[in-house]
């Protein structure tokens, strides 16, 4: 039988390349256990959000008649919120045999550091930093955000040298390949490509801004595939997990072929539960056997941009033949038509 074990973030051993992504599902130890039992290789816990902590503190500020007590209350609220996360880590470490990855979403350097230490002390096997932010400061020089990330990784890896640090990136950077290279040099163990942002939508009847869909769509996977292939080709030492759009075993295989060491599932688990993990892993094993692969390392990156023909296709943003075709069937990487009825597509 094909061996589905793999390495992630350079230091973690995973029994399978399917990771349970950070979400509401991963804030409940019982739910996590159920998903882990289905065969997942690792779990990323619900993020600790600095913004949320600050919100709780500011709610306190507006409701307190005793300003003198504020400092004490603020630190109590923050410690309490932090201890919810550290308790979750401890509960997961006690009941699971797979790596437990804690997730942090912060914007101030000192807060990253403080939370990182606490989560690692509680037993987290790795840290995933959700660094997504919409920068809108016109006075900020471009490139500032990227430099900040690289510096943050350098500081964290210096402070916690044994803990793999991964960054869950947004796709809205000018040059993701160059950013990944700098992150790798500064000590990052891996990147998650990509985070899915909160999407505002517009209600035209009420002329109001409303929330867009919470769940991803299947085509979201394709940007992850493109950049995974390119990053794998250019920065071979950096581990990659694809996130956004993965739904089933075929997507798992696609992610690995592109160059990901692991594929994260979130929407698929909200919609299909633990069964999706079992089915995806069964599909992967069968596919590996049919394609005569004994281990995951033989699969990872076979379609990465390490080869010039793969790189050419993955770098292509305008595809004349695709867009000008009168035939409405999509074209494959070499200009041939893809048959939508083909079960391999
Ligand atoms: C309800 C919900 C809650 C989420 N919470 C978090 C979170 O706390 N931290 C995080 O990094 N990502 C969070 N995500 C994003 C997911 O981890 C994932 O990156 C995104 O949904 C795209 O992957 P998918 O296509 O498999 O859903 C959340 C997603 C959903 C739908």
């Amino acid at each position: 039988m094909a061996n589905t074990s793999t390495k992630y973030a350079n230091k973690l051993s995973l029994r399978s390349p399917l990771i349970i992504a950070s979400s509401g599902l991963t804030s409940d130890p019982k739910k996590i256990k159920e998903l882990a039992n289905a065969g997942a290789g690792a779990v990323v816990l619900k993020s600790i959000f600095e913004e949320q902590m600050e919100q709780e503190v500011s709610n306190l500020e507006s409701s307190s008649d005793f300003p003198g007590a504020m400092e004490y209350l603020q630190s109590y609220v923050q410690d309490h919120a932090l201890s919810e996360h550290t308790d979750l880590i401890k509960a997961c470490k006690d009941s699971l045999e797979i790596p437990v990855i804690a997730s942090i979403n912060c914007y101030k350097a000192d807060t990253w550091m403080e939370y990182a230490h606490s989560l690692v002390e509680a037993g987290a096997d790795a840290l995933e930093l959700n660094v997504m932010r919409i920068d809108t400061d016109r006075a900020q020089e471009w490139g500032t955000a990227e430099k900040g990330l690289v510096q943050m990784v350098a500081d964290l890896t210096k402070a916690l040298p044994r803990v793999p640090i991964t960054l869950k990136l947004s796709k809205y950077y000018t040059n993701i390949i160059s950013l990944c290279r700098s992150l790798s040099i500064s000590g990052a163990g891996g990147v998650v490509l990509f985070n899915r942002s909160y999407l505002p939508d517009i209600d035209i009847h009420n002329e109001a801004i409303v929330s867009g869909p919470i769940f991803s769509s299947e085509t979201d996977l394709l940007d992850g595939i493109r950049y995974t292939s390119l990053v794998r080709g250019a920065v071979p030492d950096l581990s990659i997990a694809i996130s956004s759009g993965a739904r089933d075993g075929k997507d798992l295989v696609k992610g690995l072929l592109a160059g990901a060491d692991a594929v994260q599932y979130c929407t698929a688990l909200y919609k299909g539960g633990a069964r999706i993990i079992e089915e995806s892993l069964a599909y992967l094993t069968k596919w590996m056997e049919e394609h005569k692969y004994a281990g995951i390392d033989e699969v990872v990156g076979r379609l990465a941009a390490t080869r010039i023909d793969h790189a050419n296709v993955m770098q292509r943003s305008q595809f004349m033949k695709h867009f000008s075709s009168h035939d409405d069937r999509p074209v494959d990487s070499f200009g041939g038509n893809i048959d939508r009825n083909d079960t391999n597509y």
Side-chain angles (χ1 to χ4, degrees), residues 2-5 16-18 249-250 252-254 256 278-290 293 296 299:
N3 180 356
T4 60
S5 65
S16 81
L18 194 159
K250 282 184 195 169
L252 182 54
V253 173
K254 287 181 190 181
L256 299 174
E278 282 167 14
E279 288 174 4
S280 295
L281 294 173
Y283 185 94
L284 171 66
T285 310
K286 190 162 167 274
W287 181 90
M288 286 172 69
E289 283 163 8
E290 280 169 9
Y293 292 120
I296 294 288
V299 182

Side-chain angles (χ1 to χ4, degrees), residues 21-23 46-47 49 130 168 214 216 243-245 266-267 270:
S22 175
S23 80
K46 175 81 187 154
S47 300
F49 283 90
N130 181 331
K168 191 173 188 182
I214 290 180
S216 63
S243 169
S244 287
C266 172
T267 295
Y270 271 100

Side-chain angles (χ1 to χ4, degrees), residues 61-112:
E61 273 164 354
S62 55
S63 65
S64 174
D65 293 332
F66 303 101
M70 274 316 297
E71 208 172 303
Y72 171 76
L73 284 174
Q74 280 171 1
S75 73
Y76 174 80
V77 166
Q78 283 179 334
D79 288 351
H80 180 70
L82 186 58
S83 72
E84 275 180 19
H85 283 264
T86 51
D87 288 350
L88 178 63
I89 293 170
K90 286 175 195 157
C92 289
K93 287 300 293 174
D94 284 347
S95 66
L96 304 180
E97 282 164 12
I98 58 174
V100 174
I101 302 169
S103 166
I104 315 178
N105 185 315
C106 298
Y107 44 95
K108 289 193 220 97
D110 51 343
T111 320
W112 286 105

Side-chain angles (χ1 to χ4, degrees), residues 201-279:
D201 196 356
I202 288 184
D203 172 349
I204 58 169
H205 301 295
N206 296 306
E207 298 181 26
I209 300 171
V210 293
S211 175
I214 290 180
F215 293 127
S216 63
S217 78
E218 292 171 26
T219 50
D220 289 348
L221 182 72
L222 302 182
D223 263 332
I225 285 178
R226 174 201 293 262
Y227 282 100
T228 293
S229 173
L230 290 170
V231 172
R232 170 63 63 203
V235 197
D237 293 340
L238 187 67
S239 191
I240 304 168
I242 289 191
S243 169
S244 287
R247 294 287 187 271
D248 56 22
K250 282 184 195 169
D251 292 342
L252 182 54
V253 173
K254 287 181 190 181
L256 299 174
L257 285 171
D261 300 295
V263 178
Q264 296 198 356
Y265 281 41
C266 172
T267 295
L269 303 180
Y270 271 100
K271 293 190 173 175
R275 174 183 58 83
I276 297 293
I277 298 179
E278 282 167 14
E279 288 174 4

